[in-house]
Amino acid sequence: MGAGLSEAAKRAGEAVDGERLWRDLMQLAQFGARTDGGVERHALSGADIAARAWLIGEAERRGFSVSVDDIANLWIRRKGADEGAEPVILGSHIDSQPAGGKFDGALGVLAGLEALTALDAAGIATRRPVDVVAWTNEEGGRFDRSCTGSSVWSGAMALEDYFGDIGADGVRLGEALKLTLDATPDLPRRPRRFPAHAYVELHIEQGPVLEAEGLDVAAVTGIQGVRWLNVEVTGSAGHAGTTPMAGRRDALQGAHRAIAALNALMADPDDRVRFTVGRFNAFPNSPNTIPERAAFSIDFRHPDKTLLDDRSARLRPLIEAAAAPCTASLTPTLFMDPVMFPEDVVAQIEVAARALGHPARRLASGAFHDALYAARVCPAGMIFVPCRAGLSHHPEEWTEPRHARAGARVLTATAVELAGT
Ligand code: GLV
Ligand code: MN
Ligand code: MN
């Protein structure tokens, strides 16, 4: 990876067809479309299966070969001159949040397909094959544990460990996975794990920086670490009108005290800690019954692993003490350490952006992405493009067509440099 952009990479980037990419984005957004303009396409659902069928059809129509692995990651390949060489992988996910948008994930997959198409249009043969992947269940919107597909591919998780996960709709992941795989019986099976040369993911920023600074793209430096836990507080139910206040074991009040203590623990004058309780349920959830059980989620993030580890170790004693006289149990559901992307991949993305005339900066990712797991297998990097008002995980999520095109151009040129000619 050198100081300038090769002529082939520049030509490939310039062959990206922004209108074709935009049509693909709008087409994919039809699967699971919500009436408010957003998308609800849960992993391994009927909408996901239909979206996959469309994507497979498009890829095959354009002459690329498609395969699938045991966790239903979908792989689209453009052959390399050396088919035995480890591939360069481009990709993201096509599942969405329950009230998600058209671009989170979809952009990275469809820009990957556009990159393969642009390589054909520019008549460029790469030495390494270039694969596009749509990872299974990045969002965790249906099955709680996110990045399911990439974590299995990376070897961080065993496929079988996910089978019993129960979705928000009560369906077991193993059953939904079988339905999805059964829908494409003719697709060749790819191994669960294989070596790769590099991985690059294009994504909307999901934050306000690029838009505020009027930039087209960011070369992402790394992804902060994340811990997810489910907390359950247990007390005693009783009649709201007759049970004396003294001696009550109200689970909702216990959970409320625990959350107040967590807010104090997570207070950060530098505003770098991210702490969210995004889900809260009380049982039996009746106005005149003392709650017997309360359950809430913790999403805790920071770029520094030591801080994440230290503070995570304090959660259990703190929650137990605050919830008393109720009892509390904690179940970790997601554990991702921070990752820094290799300098040469970050620099290569900057070189491509500059050569193609797209103003860029470096930026760290506050959101997690499948690139975090891919980085365990091979050098990985990410490209961000602006999204309106930094809004994401929302039906009004939006990126301008020119920014989608800019990201795809940089992705395509970077892929050529990594795959070699
Ligand atoms: C990914 O969707 C995240 O929550 O960071
Ligand atoms: Mn995403
Ligand atoms: Mn997301």
Side-chain angles (χ1 to χ4, degrees):
M1 287 178 264
L5 193 67
S6 71
E7 187 272 333
K10 187 152 191 284
R11 211 149 46 76
E14 287 170 349
V16 161
D17 182 337
E19 286 175 17
R20 180 171 52 210
L21 171 59
W22 193 257
R23 273 198 307 275
D24 287 345
L25 283 162
M26 294 307 113
Q27 184 67 44
L28 184 59
Q30 296 307 306
F31 299 99
R34 292 164 51 95
T35 52
D36 58 10
V39 173
E40 177 166 1
R41 192 166 53 237
H42 290 286
L44 310 175
S45 66
D48 186 19
I49 291 170
R52 286 160 180 265
W54 172 80
L55 185 57
I56 293 164
E58 266 314 299
E60 288 179 343
R61 199 176 59 74
R62 297 181 198 187
F64 307 121
S65 52
V66 184
S67 57
V68 69
D69 63 23
D70 292 347
I71 185 62
N73 294 319
L74 200 61
W75 298 91
I76 302 170
R77 166 158 292 204
R78 182 175 187 267
K79 283 193 168 46
D82 178 359
E83 261 299 276
E86 292 172 0
V88 168
I89 302 174
L90 316 176
S92 195
H93 58 97
I94 63 167
D95 65 310
S96 83
Q97 286 286 313
K102 297 183 179 75
F103 303 94
D104 175 357
L107 176 63
V109 174
L110 293 177
L113 181 61
E114 178 56 35
L116 304 190
T117 314
L119 283 169
D120 274 2
I124 290 166
T126 56
R127 184 173 85 73
R128 296 177 181 279
V130 182
D131 285 335
V132 175
V133 62
W135 302 109
T136 294
N137 189 38
E138 188 276 345
E139 292 290 2
R142 180 183 187 192
F143 301 102
D144 247 9
R145 297 196 281 175
S146 308
C147 295
T148 310
S150 54
S151 65
V152 170
W153 180 73
S154 74
M157 293 289 293
L159 169 66
E160 291 74 15
D161 286 350
Y162 284 119
F163 284 161
D165 284 14
I166 309 286
D169 51 3
V171 176
R172 276 179 56 252
L173 186 141
E175 283 167 41
L177 178 62
K178 183 171 182 322
L179 273 180
T180 306
L181 291 172
D182 285 354
T184 54
D186 299 330
L187 282 188
R189 269 307 160 93
R190 194 98 188 243
R192 248 178 235 189
R193 299 182 64 183
F194 53 87
H197 179 67
Y199 173 82
V200 188
E201 178 165 356
L202 170 65
H203 207 281
I204 54 169
E205 180 198 334
Q206 308 183 284
V209 178
L210 290 176
E211 184 182 59
E213 296 185 4
L215 300 174
D216 284 356
V217 294
V220 180
T221 51
I223 303 179
Q224 69 178 343
V226 193
R227 306 284 189 261
W228 279 6
L229 298 102
N230 287 332
V231 180
E232 190 159 300
V233 176
T234 305
S236 310
H239 195 292
T242 59
T243 312
M245 297 306 287
R248 279 193 186 191
R249 291 172 70 243
D250 181 327
L252 192 150
Q253 296 291 348
H256 180 257
R257 288 192 298 277
I259 292 170
L262 287 167
N263 279 327
L265 175 73
M266 300 294 183
D268 173 16
D270 298 331
D271 197 15
R272 295 183 76 208
V273 170
R274 297 286 175 265
F275 167 67
T276 307
V277 174
R279 182 186 289 153
F280 191 104
N281 290 304
F283 306 92
N285 212 21
S286 160
N288 50 353
T289 297
I290 299 167
E292 180 170 35
R293 209 152 52 80
F296 65 92
S297 58
I298 293 177
D299 176 313
F300 165 41
R301 310 188 191 203
H302 199 275
D304 177 20
K305 174 173 160 48
T306 310
L307 185 143
L308 275 175
D309 287 344
D310 289 351
R311 231 162 263 194
S312 297
R314 292 163 66 186
L315 296 179
R316 181 180 302 280
L318 179 117
I319 291 172
E320 284 176 351
C326 301
T327 57
S329 68
L330 279 72
T331 312
T333 54
L334 195 71
F335 182 102
M336 293 172 169
D337 279 337
V339 31
M340 291 298 290
F341 295 134
E343 169 60 27
D344 54 354
V345 178
V346 180
Q348 183 63 70
I349 291 168
E350 286 181 314
V351 165
R354 200 171 312 124
L356 290 164
H358 296 298
R361 61 165 282 167
R362 292 184 173 210
L363 203 57
S365 177
F368 60 72
H369 299 282
D370 293 300
L372 194 143
Y373 281 112
R376 292 175 174 231
V377 176
C378 58
M382 288 192 75
I383 302 162
F384 279 172
V385 292
C387 58
R388 192 166 62 199
L391 193 63
S392 183
H393 286 190
H394 193 285
E396 286 167 25
E397 178 182 275
W398 185 256
T399 191
E400 294 300 330
R402 68 189 167 89
H403 288 141
R405 171 177 173 270
R409 282 161 58 97
V410 175
L411 179 73
T412 305
T414 304
V416 172
E417 297 299 48
L418 292 167
T421 49

